[in-house]
């Protein structure tokens, strides 16, 4: 078969690589010219070498080290097929991780957008909520005024152990009823939303995955103080009673930061949600 020959510059243009890259590949014995003119010292590549360069470029594109590429060049066809299958699997895993990261970013952004979209502060409003998966921990002595760091650590360690990340939002759930003081409110569970789209099993007896159901909710949002919490809770309670609204007797509480600057004082926004039947 007739072969065409190309200078370094011509091969660089054909392969969309730089002259310097081809010279470097020559120096490290990765991709060498097919012959060198002894009189001019010009280096020439054969057209038939292009498929070797395509393999090198493909392997470099997926991050294969040059030393490994030099080794792969000596593989048999069977060995090369096995190696490429392994690389394809690795790429699929990378794509899955990137898709998971994208899902997490979208969920985090949605949480922030929902916070900005709260229609009114310190007043009851009606809102449609999408269902949300929550990682919940059973607790006994936690209240809106106090949750132990140990309990929160149990949740965050579990969520990170399955390859997800901690969300900016957390909260608790408790029965809807009249409470004399804030310390009389006892969480049945505290939770953090699950950002990962993957399914996973919880290995602890005091922990479970709970889905906050989709539907219409009565809600009230406010900046946290102990006094404000009880005032807003009573306002929500009275609104339900005065308007005779049939609700599920469970309060879903969400806690979110209002800023992320280490130079600003921490301030938390609370949302109390009760599902309309």
């Amino acid at each position: 078969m007739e072969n065409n020959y190309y200078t370094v510059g011509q091969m660089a243009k054909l392969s969309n690589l730089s002259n310097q890259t081809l010279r470097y590949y020559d120096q490290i014995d990765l991709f060498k010219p097919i012959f060198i003119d002894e009189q001019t010292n010009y280096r020439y590549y054969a057209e038939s070498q292009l498929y070797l360069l395509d393999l090198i470029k493909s392997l470099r594109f997926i991050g294969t080290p040059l030393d490994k590429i030099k080794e792969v060049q000596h593989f048999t066809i069977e060995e090369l097929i096995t190696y490429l299958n392994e690389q394809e699997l690795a790429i699929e895993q990378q794509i899955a991780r990137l898709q998971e990261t994208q899902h997490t970013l979208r969920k985090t952004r949605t949480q922030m957008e929902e916070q900005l979209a709260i229609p009114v502060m310190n007043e009851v409003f009606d809102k449609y909520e999408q269902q949300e998966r929550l990682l919940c921990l059973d607790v006994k002595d936690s209240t809106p005024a106090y949750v132990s760091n140990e309990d929160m650590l149990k949740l965050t360690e579990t969520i990170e152990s399955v390859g997800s990340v901690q969300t900016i939002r957390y909260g608790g759930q408790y029965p809807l009823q009249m409470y004399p003081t804030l310390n009389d409110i006892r969480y049945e569970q505290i939770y953090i939303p699950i950002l990962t789209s993957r399914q996973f099993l919880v290995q602890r007896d005091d922990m479970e995955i709970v889905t906050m159901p989709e539907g219409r909710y009565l809600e009230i949002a406010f900046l946290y103080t102990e006094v404000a919490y009880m005032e807003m809770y009573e306002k929500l309670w009275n609104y339900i009673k005065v308007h005779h609204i049939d609700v599920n007797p469970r309060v879903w509480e969400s806690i979110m930061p209002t800023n992320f600057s280490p130079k600003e004082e921490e301030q938390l926004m609370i949302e109390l949600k009760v599902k309309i039947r």
Side-chain angles (χ1 to χ4, degrees):
M1 180 184 295
E2 185 178 351
N3 220 335
N4 294 321
Y5 296 96
Y6 303 104
T7 64
V8 173
Q10 291 172 328
M11 180 60 86
K13 289 181 179 179
L14 282 172
S15 61
N16 199 28
L17 294 172
S18 67
N19 291 7
Q20 291 83 354
T21 297
L22 288 177
R23 291 194 179 98
Y24 179 65
Y25 287 174
D26 182 8
Q27 291 172 10
I28 64 174
D29 295 327
L30 176 65
F31 183 72
K32 300 186 73 65
I34 199 166
F35 77 91
I36 300 173
D37 188 315
E38 294 182 357
Q39 294 183 349
T40 62
N41 205 34
Y42 283 175
R43 287 161 163 74
Y44 291 92
Y45 296 91
E47 186 175 34
S48 59
Q49 289 181 280
L50 279 170
Y51 79 94
L52 296 174
L53 200 53
D54 285 341
L55 176 63
I56 293 171
K57 288 169 60 181
S58 297
L59 293 174
R60 286 298 291 153
F61 185 75
I62 62 174
T64 308
L66 292 176
D67 286 345
K68 184 64 179 180
I69 295 176
K70 290 172 70 174
E71 179 185 342
V72 168
Q73 286 180 321
H74 299 289
F75 282 3
T76 65
I77 294 297
E78 291 80 4
E79 291 172 333
L80 187 56
I81 290 173
T82 298
Y83 179 77
L84 293 178
N85 285 337
E86 292 170 351
Q87 299 313 298
E88 182 178 8
L89 177 60
I91 291 171
E92 289 174 351
Q93 293 171 341
Q94 290 175 13
I95 291 172
R97 285 194 292 269
L98 287 173
Q99 289 175 333
E100 181 66 23
T101 301
Q102 182 184 47
H103 179 82
T104 299
L105 290 175
R106 285 175 175 171
K107 293 278 286 186
T108 302
R109 183 186 64 206
T110 297
Q111 289 180 346
M112 294 180 177
E113 290 171 345
E114 288 174 349
Q115 184 173 339
L116 289 177
I118 291 173
V120 61
M121 296 290 288
N122 304 325
E123 298 293 341
V124 178
F125 57 90
D126 184 330
K127 183 181 176 184
Y128 192 89
E129 296 280 359
Q130 301 292 333
Q131 72 175 23
E132 185 172 27
R133 287 197 308 154
L134 309 171
L135 181 65
C136 297
L137 175 71
D138 297 336
V139 290
K140 292 182 179 179
D141 299 321
S142 295
T143 74
Y146 172 77
V147 175
S148 73
N149 290 334
E150 182 181 352
D151 283 340
M152 287 303 301
L153 189 60
K154 292 175 184 176
L155 287 173
T156 56
E157 285 181 342
T158 299
I159 212 72
E160 290 175 0
S161 70
V162 297
S164 186
V165 295
Q166 184 179 354
T167 173
I168 63 170
R169 182 183 295 177
Y170 60 97
Q173 55 170 311
Y174 53 87
L176 175 68
Q177 60 189 52
M178 198 59 203
Y179 296 97
T181 70
L182 186 64
N183 287 328
D184 292 309
I185 299 176
R186 287 284 193 270
Y187 294 134
E188 293 181 344
Q189 292 180 318
I190 60 172
Y191 70 81
I192 53 178
I194 299 173
L195 298 185
T196 178
S197 60
R198 296 194 304 273
Q199 301 296 320
F200 61 93
L201 296 177
V202 177
Q203 303 297 327
R204 298 177 58 101
D205 293 336
D206 59 352
M207 195 177 292
E208 63 177 332
I209 296 174
V210 174
T211 299
M212 191 184 86
E214 179 179 9
R216 287 176 55 227
Y217 286 75
L218 287 179
E219 305 184 15
I220 192 164
F222 55 93
L223 298 179
Y224 175 79
T225 67
E226 292 189 12
V227 172
Y229 196 108
M230 285 308 298
E231 288 180 352
M232 296 302 107
Y233 180 83
E234 290 173 4
K235 182 175 284 190
L236 178 62
W237 170 269
N238 291 330
Y239 187 95
I240 293 169
K241 296 303 178 183
V242 169
H243 293 86
H244 306 289
I245 301 173
D246 186 18
V247 298
N248 188 307
R250 175 154 304 279
V251 179
W252 301 86
E253 173 205 76
S254 290
I255 304 171
M256 301 158 285
T258 60
N259 67 73
F260 298 91
S261 172
K263 297 181 180 180
E264 295 186 33
E265 183 179 355
E266 181 184 59
Q267 193 170 41
L268 299 176
M269 179 182 293
I270 309 293
E271 270 190 286
L272 304 179
K273 310 176 184 183
V274 180
K275 190 176 186 303
I276 301 171
R277 290 189 194 273

